[in-house]
Amino acid sequence: MRGPQPWNLACAMLLLAYALLAGWRLAEPPQQIFDEIHHAYAALEMQDRDPTHARTHPLFPVAVTALVIKASGTAIPPTSRPEFDGTATWPPATVWWWRVPTLAMAVVALAALFGAGRTLGLAAPFALLATAMLALDGCFFVMSRTYMTNVWELAWQMLAVAAVVRGIGGDRRWFLAAATIAGVAIGTRLTSAPFTLLLALWLAWRLRGDRPRFAYACAAFVLGTPLVYLASWAPVVAIGPAPGAWDLLDPHAWWTRVILAQANLVTGHMGGDLSAFPGNSAWWTWPLMNEPIWFWQLREQGGRFR
């Protein structure tokens, strides 16, 4: 019986080391930092079946995190605090449970990068090197220790690429897998929509001389991806409804509400809910980077920076 390949074993050791290092003191700081003021806040609100503070991003990661928090049995303090309040201190157990799903997705992203590299024909040492470089990236490391859905999105994108490449060289059912994963990626962040479009166009170009596989891939992405995206809202519906909940959770017409809610996601990024945000800018100026995005730092007691 063959054992694991040396380079696969090396990748597994890298992933374990990363999880242990990134997971060290994961509950610090005990405040909602970066986009946790949106995502973590909404996940906590969902414990009361009222996800009203997260209308500018798809809620699939939020719903999954809410279910993880609920399954953990940790006590949830009242969430009736002002929106965008990043100064409140939360119990360490609560903070740990809202961050650990993102850390798990970071490990998935690293594994997916290694797998995608190998699927693309990259030699194992170079695939491992690319994985190690991502693990050592400071931005990725910070995001993996924080509830940032960008990490979730990267994991889904890497898996989608690997599935497409596997399908080109083998079983066409990999195209359906890729389309499904792409739907989940869009259900994580809308920025995966242009990624999915480019991936589908590249795949169509590669299959232009193979009509049966071309038709199968087109059907998977044109029909499957939107359906999976809509289905990605199911956990949100499973948590609700309750008195005073967001209209999306209306059990009598929730598919209609989900479709209409997409307008909130778009308009929320084009002004609307974010108009008072200091770094807000018109959507058409985003490529110009008129308002660059920066992380910030705070001085803690004892003179430490974070």
Side-chain angles (χ1 to χ4, degrees):
M1 182 176 180
R2 297 180 58 186
Q5 296 296 317
W7 291 108
N8 294 344
L9 182 60
C11 182
M13 293 176 63
L14 172 63
L15 299 182
L16 177 60
Y18 185 89
L20 293 175
L21 179 61
W24 177 252
R25 300 172 70 176
L26 186 62
E28 294 184 15
Q31 291 89 28
Q32 294 174 353
I33 58 176
F34 303 152
D35 280 359
E36 288 182 343
I37 60 176
H38 305 287
H39 307 312
Y41 197 101
L44 294 175
E45 279 190 317
M46 281 188 178
Q47 309 306 312
D48 300 326
R49 299 181 176 182
D50 187 19
T52 55
H53 284 84
R55 294 183 289 117
T56 55
H57 290 289
L59 295 183
F60 177 68
V62 174
V64 172
T65 303
L67 293 173
V68 169
I69 295 173
K70 189 175 185 64
S72 72
T74 184
I76 305 297
T79 56
S80 56
R81 304 174 186 269
E83 189 177 4
F84 306 130
D85 180 10
T87 62
T89 299
W90 298 81
T94 305
V95 178
W96 193 89
W97 280 109
W98 83 48
R99 288 178 183 163
V100 74
T102 300
L103 176 56
M105 290 303 297
V107 174
V108 172
L110 292 170
L113 177 59
F114 180 79
R118 296 292 289 130
T119 303
L120 287 167
L122 198 62
F126 294 104
L128 182 62
L129 177 61
T131 305
M133 290 178 66
L134 177 59
L136 293 172
D137 181 81
C139 183
F140 179 79
F141 183 81
V142 170
M143 285 188 171
S144 70
R145 287 179 46 83
T146 314
Y147 187 8
M148 301 289 286
T149 56
N150 309 68
V151 175
W152 297 58
E153 180 183 37
L154 178 62
W156 300 131
Q157 290 179 352
M158 289 294 97
L159 290 171
V161 169
V164 162
V165 176
R166 288 292 298 272
I168 291 176
D171 193 334
R172 67 180 185 177
R173 287 177 295 184
W174 283 105
F175 299 147
L176 180 59
T180 300
I181 296 170
V184 176
I186 299 173
T188 298
R189 293 184 70 89
L190 290 181
T191 47
S192 280
F195 161 82
T196 300
L197 177 61
L198 290 175
L199 183 64
L201 290 175
W202 177 78
L203 177 60
W205 179 80
R206 286 295 303 267
L207 299 176
R208 63 191 184 280
D210 188 342
R211 289 187 178 181
R213 293 165 67 81
F214 177 87
Y216 187 94
C218 286
F221 277 92
V222 174
L223 300 177
T225 298
L227 289 177
V228 171
Y229 170 72
L230 292 177
S232 72
W233 290 77
V236 181
V237 179
I239 292 174
W246 192 16
D247 287 345
L248 174 64
L249 303 183
D250 185 338
H252 302 294
W254 72 272
W255 278 114
T256 302
R257 305 280 179 162
V258 166
I259 294 174
L260 294 177
Q262 308 314 304
N264 288 336
L265 302 181
V266 176
T267 57
H269 280 88
M270 294 183 178
D273 297 335
L274 301 180
S275 58
F277 185 66
N280 186 54
S281 58
W283 65 270
W284 55 269
T285 66
W286 294 346
L288 305 178
M289 291 296 289
N290 290 344
E291 295 285 348
I293 299 173
W294 297 89
F295 289 152
W296 60 88
Q297 61 185 21
L298 296 174
R299 183 183 292 275
E300 295 181 333
Q301 292 182 354
R304 295 187 304 164
F305 281 94
R306 62 171 172 84

